[in-house]
Amino acid sequence: MIAFSYGVRMRRIFHYALIPTACGLLASCSSVPEARVKDTSRSFTTVIVDAGHGGKDNGALRRYGGAEKDANLDVAMRLARKLRESQFRTVMTRSSDVFIPLDERAAISNRQKNAIFVSVHFNDSRRRGIRGFETYYHSSIARNLAYRIQQHLVTIPGSTSRGVKTANFRVLRKALYPAVLVECGFLSNRKEGAGARSASYRDELADKIAEAIVDERYGKGTYRPPQTADSADTSGHTE
Ligand SMILES: [Zn+2]
């Protein structure tokens, strides 16, 4: 077990060292004390959807064209739409390619009432073989939500879990509500990079995260995927 945790720690250091943009998420500042984080897991009516990076901050640069910020925004917009269709109020920290400082993202979230916060990112590594989903939380109040999102994501066929982890990311530790950060796969990996460039795969990612959020609020199996024009065409159902 010691060897295992050492390995995890080394991987995390390795991960941060390779992603200077992600290091911005770690800039030092005080945390919200655990006791001040409101447990809205079973009552929330609003979901703050945070598309990572934006504007001058590209996030991870995709080796196959484009930048992380664009993939984040697309998944976040899809997620917000699905959540509205499930009767949640949504607030996006950005809905276009603009730079929003991390403290402002947390402030936007903390101004809401009865909410949870979900940040959408994609990952990057110099080692192209590395792939898989990661979901992060800071307050233990967000632990269930993080596990639930990860569980739903890994139902995507052929996907890999790199686990649910705690992290000191600024947007998480300044949150007054349950807050998670989802890494939707590695842009540097051939398979996951190709996925990120596919609208239908990005939609599937958003669908899984939405499904997890609805389950967290109302109980397992309560999510009904929105009947979009695309899914109606491909499924052949006419209901
Ligand atoms: Zn990122």
Side-chain angles (χ1 to χ4, degrees), residues 81-99:
R81 196 187 68 232
K82 289 169 194 294
L83 291 169
R84 286 193 298 274
E85 286 164 352
S86 288
Q87 312 308 316
F88 288 105
R89 177 175 169 262
T90 61
V91 174
M92 298 200 66
T93 54
R94 69 178 178 100
S95 51
S96 61
D97 184 19
V98 290
F99 176 76

Side-chain angles (χ1 to χ4, degrees), residues 137 139-148 164 180:
Y137 66 97
S139 161
S140 63
I141 287 166
R143 186 174 177 273
N144 269 356
L145 176 64
Y147 272 93
R148 206 182 283 273
V164 175
V180 296

Side-chain angles (χ1 to χ4, degrees), residues 53 68 72 121-122 183:
H53 313 282
E68 181 200 341
N72 295 344
H121 286 252
F122 281 83
E183 292 279 3

